[in-house]
Amino acid sequence: MTPEPVRIRPYRPADLDALYRICLLTGDNGGDGTHLYRDPWVIGHVHAAPYGIFQPSLAFVAEDDEGAGGYILGALDSESFEKRLERDWWPRLRGRYPEPPAGLPEEQWTADQHKAHTIHHPWPTDPGLAARYPSHLHIDLVPRLQSGGHGRRLMDRLTGALREQGSPGVHLGVHVENTRAIGFYRHVGFTELFTRGHAVIFGMDLG
C-alpha cells in the first residue's frame, strides 16, 4: 500500500502533547534528545508549548499516517510575545524548575539545567533585530519527515500566514553545530545575520 501523503494543517489544542513529543525527539540538534533530559517535558516548555497555547494562529503541524511528526510555530511580535510569557507562562514554571546551583560552572550544567536557566532568564529579542524582523519561528521534523520537502511546505505556510497578519520580517536562531538546519535555512531564503552565544541568527524579509 502507498503511504498517505504528509498533510500540513493548522494546529489544534489536542496537538499539545505532540508538540512536546516532537520537540524532545528533535532536541539533540535535530536528532532524538530523549537521552539528554531527565524531565522529558522541560525542552517543550521552552521551545514549543507556549506557541501552541498563546499564538495558535501561527502554529501548523505536519501529519502522516503515523500521526503528527513535525511543526512550525511562530510569534507575530516577538517583544509582545515575550511580555505575554513573562506574565502568563514563565512564573509557574519557575516554581517547578529551580535555577542551576550557584557556583556550578555552566559547562557542568545538565541539559535540564540549561533549560531551567532559560526559564528563569529567557533571551530577549534584540531591539535592532525586532525592528526589521519582529516575528520569529521554530520548526522541527522527526527523521521520517525530514528530507521530503515538508520543511519547505511548513515554512511556506507560516511565512504566508505572517504576511497575511502584516509582518515585515521573521527571524530564528539555530545552534552553531546544527549544520543541517543551517543549510536548510539558507536554502529556503533566510540570510545569516549574526552569531549570539551558541546560536546563529537568521532573518527573512516578508515584504
Side-chain angles (χ1 to χ4, degrees):
M1 295 178 61
T2 302
E4 291 184 35
V6 174
R7 302 171 293 281
I8 307 297
R9 61 166 176 80
Y11 168 84
R12 299 189 289 256
D15 296 319
L16 186 59
D17 283 352
L19 296 193
Y20 278 104
R21 176 177 54 79
I22 294 163
C23 193
L24 181 63
L25 291 176
T26 57
D28 187 9
N29 284 330
D32 189 349
T34 302
H35 65 289
L36 297 177
Y37 293 94
R38 293 186 63 185
D39 184 327
W41 300 93
V42 65
I43 185 172
H45 290 329
V46 174
H47 298 296
Y51 296 87
I53 293 169
F54 298 115
Q55 197 94 92
S57 69
L58 292 173
F60 300 93
V61 170
E63 182 179 63
D64 63 5
D65 55 350
E66 295 185 38
Y71 58 64
I72 193 164
L73 310 167
L76 181 64
D77 184 317
S78 297
E79 294 176 323
S80 295
F81 187 73
E82 289 162 4
K83 292 176 183 176
R84 178 73 186 273
L85 297 194
E86 190 59 45
R87 185 178 72 244
D88 298 330
W89 186 247
W90 300 130
R92 70 181 183 85
L93 291 172
R94 287 169 182 156
R96 294 171 53 189
Y97 297 95
E99 293 199 60
L104 182 67
E106 183 176 348
E107 60 269 19
Q108 296 180 23
W109 292 356
T110 65
D112 295 70
Q113 288 171 332
H114 276 282
K115 296 309 175 190
H117 182 266
T118 299
I119 287 169
H120 287 269
H121 305 281
W123 277 12
T125 300
D126 178 89
L129 181 66
R132 182 170 178 179
Y133 308 101
S135 305
H136 73 271
L137 67 84
H138 294 281
I139 180 172
D140 288 303
L141 290 154
V142 299
R144 75 174 190 272
L145 297 188
Q146 294 172 7
S147 301
H150 310 305
R152 178 181 283 278
R153 292 172 63 205
L154 283 168
M155 193 69 72
D156 289 346
R157 189 71 176 268
L158 179 63
T159 54
L162 287 170
R163 288 187 179 96
E164 289 175 2
Q165 295 188 32
S167 175
V170 60
H171 71 273
L172 59 88
V174 60
H175 197 281
V176 293
E177 295 179 359
N178 195 345
T179 55
R180 181 172 180 169
I182 288 171
F184 168 73
Y185 296 130
R186 289 172 175 159
H187 183 67
V188 298
F190 279 83
T191 299
E192 186 173 332
L193 302 175
F194 57 87
T195 300
R196 180 182 179 186
H198 298 293
V200 181
I201 308 302
F202 285 85
M204 177 189 285
D205 291 307
L206 299 175

